[in-house]
Amino acid sequence: MRVVVAPDYEALTLVAAKFIAEAIAEKPGLVLALPTGNTPLGVYRRLVMMNRHGEVSFSRVTTFNLDEYIGLGTQHPLSFRVYMKEHFFGLVDIDPARVHLPDGLALDPEAEGRRYEAEIAKAGGLDLAVLGIGLNGHIGFNEPGSSFDSRTRPVTLSRETMIGLQAGRPPEGTSNGQGSARVFPMSGLTVGIATIMEAKRLLLLASGEVKAAAVTRALDGPISKDFPASVLQRHANVTVLVDREAAIDLD
């Protein structure tokens, strides 16, 4: 495991963007797993700028997002597809046919999980998975208690995750296009831990003092399904990129 401590969030985003761009330079047809949330926003902003300056091309890259909410369509403002389009996909030269996200409106979420796994396998597996970490150790939507053998599947989000999501991205939109009722799904589809661990390389991102305890437990604590991110200690090629605030509890 390689741990890189950046002085601040802006430096973290630059290092992460360069890391991803270098991986694409080594393999233009990279198969890339991508996260959502607050931490990756700056990384996507950097990558968009690099793409516009001709420093990296996504034309041959294939992406698989780590998760999506169950019950949200592709145009819903809370969907991760909209998030990715607004912050990344719609701003770079990626081929829409190479972009993959779970279908939150699938009638059979279990079958959708199997379909998504088949798409990942068809692409040759993940070359690089970029991950965030939740305060409770979740990666993707793999909550505490998730099996290390898990694959893409429907999950119920924990109370801790819901609080974090609401704090980081206030709910918008309505459930039926009428009235003002806000929607915030309590379940999602997530790429499983086994699928993540099969990626050739992993890049874990964490920023802010609020993530310090989670980072320390993931890197130095016991490996346990009660804290899913701890399983990353078993991966042969993982880079942990944190800013100074997120690293305050590390040795």
Side-chain angles (χ1 to χ4, degrees):
M1 180 179 288
R2 177 176 178 236
V3 180
V4 179
V5 180
D8 53 33
Y9 175 71
E10 287 304 314
L12 179 152
T13 65
L14 179 59
V15 175
K18 287 184 175 180
F19 186 100
I20 296 168
E22 288 171 3
I24 295 171
E26 293 171 6
K27 184 178 181 180
L30 194 77
V31 180
L32 182 62
L34 293 173
T36 52
N38 288 328
T39 303
L41 285 175
V43 181
Y44 293 141
R45 184 176 66 249
R46 295 275 190 182
L47 288 170
V48 169
M49 291 173 59
M50 293 173 71
N51 179 248
R52 290 177 177 173
H53 293 157
E55 298 172 27
V56 63
S57 173
F58 299 93
S59 62
R60 294 169 56 189
V61 172
T62 298
T63 64
F64 289 90
N65 266 70
L66 291 171
D67 37 39
E68 180 58 283
Y69 292 114
I70 289 177
L72 299 189
T74 59
Q75 303 301 315
H76 194 287
L78 269 182
S79 74
F80 289 146
R81 185 174 290 274
V82 167
Y83 168 107
M84 293 301 298
K85 181 178 180 181
E86 291 181 349
H87 297 292
F88 188 49
F89 295 150
L91 305 174
V92 296
D93 64 340
I94 197 163
D95 180 354
R98 293 181 177 271
V99 168
H100 301 83
L101 289 92
D103 181 1
L105 293 181
L107 296 179
D108 185 341
E110 294 282 356
E112 173 60 10
R114 294 190 293 271
R115 183 200 67 80
Y116 205 63
E117 286 288 329
E119 289 294 322
I120 293 173
K122 182 179 177 181
L126 302 175
D127 293 310
L128 172 62
V130 183
L131 308 169
I133 181 172
L135 298 182
N136 62 2
H138 73 251
I139 48 177
F141 275 159
N142 292 286
E143 299 281 16
S146 296
S147 170
F148 290 165
D149 295 326
S150 61
R151 298 289 180 178
T152 304
R153 68 202 187 283
V155 294
T156 299
L157 304 182
S158 70
R159 180 176 179 273
E160 292 83 357
T161 296
M162 294 296 297
I163 291 173
L165 289 168
Q166 290 170 351
R169 193 175 177 212
E172 303 172 1
T174 64
S175 59
N176 57 10
Q178 300 177 356
S180 59
R182 290 186 172 184
V183 175
F184 210 92
M186 298 182 65
S187 58
L189 282 156
T190 187
V191 171
I193 292 176
T195 310
I196 291 171
M197 291 294 286
E198 287 173 359
K200 296 180 181 66
R201 285 190 285 177
L202 302 178
L203 176 62
L204 178 68
L205 307 176
S207 174
E209 188 174 352
V210 69
K211 293 292 181 73
V215 169
T216 300
R217 186 170 175 184
L219 273 58
D220 298 331
I223 298 174
S224 167
K225 66 180 183 180
D226 293 332
F227 202 80
S230 64
V231 74
L232 302 183
Q233 296 177 40
R234 294 179 177 172
H235 198 279
N237 193 344
V238 54
T239 298
V240 178
L241 176 55
V242 295
D243 59 17
R244 187 171 290 130
E245 290 186 344
I248 58 173
D249 292 334
L250 295 176
D251 293 335

Coordinates of all heavy atoms in Angstrom, one line a residue, residues 64 100 111-125 151-152 195:
F64 N -17.2 2.6 -15.6 CA -18.3 2.0 -14.8 C -18.4 2.7 -13.5 O -17.5 2.7 -12.7 CB -18.0 0.5 -14.5 CG -18.0 -0.4 -15.8 CD1 -16.9 -0.6 -16.5 CD2 -19.2 -1.0 -16.1 CE1 -17.0 -1.4 -17.7 CE2 -19.3 -1.8 -17.2 CZ -18.2 -2.0 -18.0
H100 N -21.0 3.6 -18.4 CA -21.9 2.6 -17.8 C -22.2 3.0 -16.4 O -21.3 3.4 -15.6 CB -21.3 1.2 -17.8 CG -20.9 0.7 -19.1 ND1 -19.7 1.0 -19.8 CD2 -21.6 -0.2 -20.0 CE1 -19.7 0.3 -20.9 NE2 -20.8 -0.3 -21.1
A111 N -31.2 -8.8 -11.0 CA -30.9 -9.1 -12.4 C -30.0 -8.0 -13.0 O -29.1 -8.3 -13.7 CB -32.1 -9.4 -13.2
E112 N -30.3 -6.8 -12.6 CA -29.5 -5.6 -13.1 C -28.1 -5.8 -12.6 O -27.1 -5.4 -13.3 CB -30.2 -4.3 -12.6 CG -29.3 -3.1 -12.9 CD -29.0 -2.8 -14.4 OE1 -29.6 -3.5 -15.2 OE2 -28.2 -2.0 -14.7
G113 N -27.9 -6.2 -11.3 CA -26.6 -6.4 -10.8 C -25.8 -7.4 -11.6 O -24.6 -7.2 -11.9
R114 N -26.5 -8.5 -11.9 CA -25.8 -9.6 -12.7 C -25.5 -9.0 -14.1 O -24.4 -9.3 -14.7 CB -26.7 -10.8 -12.8 CG -26.9 -11.5 -11.5 CD -27.6 -12.9 -11.7 NE -28.9 -12.7 -12.1 CZ -30.0 -12.6 -11.3 NH1 -29.8 -12.6 -10.0 NH2 -31.2 -12.6 -11.8
R115 N -26.4 -8.2 -14.7 CA -26.1 -7.6 -16.0 C -24.9 -6.7 -16.0 O -24.0 -6.7 -16.8 CB -27.3 -6.9 -16.5 CG -27.2 -6.3 -17.9 CD -28.1 -5.1 -18.2 NE -27.9 -3.9 -17.4 CZ -26.9 -3.1 -17.7 NH1 -26.1 -3.2 -18.7 NH2 -26.7 -2.0 -16.9
Y116 N -24.8 -5.9 -14.9 CA -23.7 -5.0 -14.8 C -22.4 -5.7 -14.6 O -21.4 -5.3 -15.2 CB -24.0 -4.1 -13.6 CG -23.3 -2.7 -13.6 CD1 -23.6 -1.8 -14.6 CD2 -22.3 -2.4 -12.7 CE1 -23.0 -0.6 -14.6 CE2 -21.7 -1.1 -12.7 CZ -22.0 -0.2 -13.7 OH -21.5 1.0 -13.7
E117 N -22.4 -6.8 -13.8 CA -21.2 -7.6 -13.7 C -20.8 -8.2 -15.0 O -19.6 -8.2 -15.3 CB -21.4 -8.7 -12.7 CG -21.5 -8.3 -11.2 CD -20.1 -7.9 -10.7 OE1 -19.1 -8.5 -11.1 OE2 -20.1 -7.1 -9.8
A118 N -21.7 -8.6 -15.8 CA -21.4 -9.2 -17.1 C -20.8 -8.1 -18.0 O -19.9 -8.4 -18.8 CB -22.7 -9.7 -17.8
E119 N -21.3 -6.9 -17.9 CA -20.7 -5.8 -18.7 C -19.2 -5.5 -18.3 O -18.4 -5.3 -19.2 CB -21.5 -4.5 -18.6 CG -22.9 -4.6 -19.3 CD -22.7 -4.7 -20.8 OE1 -21.8 -4.0 -21.4 OE2 -23.5 -5.4 -21.4
I120 N -19.0 -5.5 -17.0 CA -17.6 -5.3 -16.6 C -16.7 -6.5 -17.1 O -15.6 -6.2 -17.5 CB -17.6 -5.3 -15.0 CG1 -18.3 -4.0 -14.5 CG2 -16.1 -5.3 -14.5 CD1 -18.5 -3.9 -13.0
A121 N -17.2 -7.7 -17.0 CA -16.4 -8.8 -17.5 C -16.2 -8.7 -19.0 O -15.1 -9.0 -19.5 CB -17.1 -10.1 -17.1
K122 N -17.2 -8.3 -19.7 CA -17.1 -8.2 -21.2 C -16.0 -7.1 -21.5 O -15.3 -7.2 -22.5 CB -18.4 -7.7 -21.7 CG -18.5 -7.6 -23.3 CD -19.9 -7.2 -23.7 CE -19.9 -7.0 -25.2 NZ -21.3 -6.6 -25.7
A123 N -15.9 -6.1 -20.7 CA -14.9 -5.0 -20.9 C -13.5 -5.5 -20.5 O -12.5 -4.8 -20.8 CB -15.3 -3.8 -20.1
G124 N -13.4 -6.7 -19.9 CA -12.1 -7.2 -19.5 C -11.7 -6.9 -18.1 O -10.6 -7.1 -17.7
G125 N -12.7 -6.5 -17.3 CA -12.4 -6.2 -15.9 C -11.9 -4.8 -15.7 O -11.6 -4.1 -16.6
R151 N -20.9 -9.1 -5.0 CA -20.9 -8.5 -6.4 C -21.9 -7.4 -6.5 O -22.6 -7.0 -5.5 CB -21.2 -9.7 -7.4 CG -20.1 -10.8 -7.4 CD -18.8 -10.3 -8.0 NE -17.8 -11.4 -7.9 CZ -16.6 -11.3 -8.4 NH1 -16.2 -10.1 -9.0 NH2 -15.7 -12.3 -8.4
T152 N -22.1 -6.9 -7.7 CA -23.0 -5.8 -7.9 C -24.4 -6.3 -7.5 O -24.9 -7.3 -8.0 CB -23.0 -5.3 -9.4 OG1 -21.7 -4.9 -9.7 CG2 -24.0 -4.1 -9.5
T195 N -15.7 -7.4 -6.7 CA -15.5 -6.8 -8.0 C -14.5 -5.7 -7.9 O -13.6 -5.5 -8.7 CB -16.8 -6.3 -8.6 OG1 -17.8 -7.3 -8.6 CG2 -16.6 -5.8 -10.1

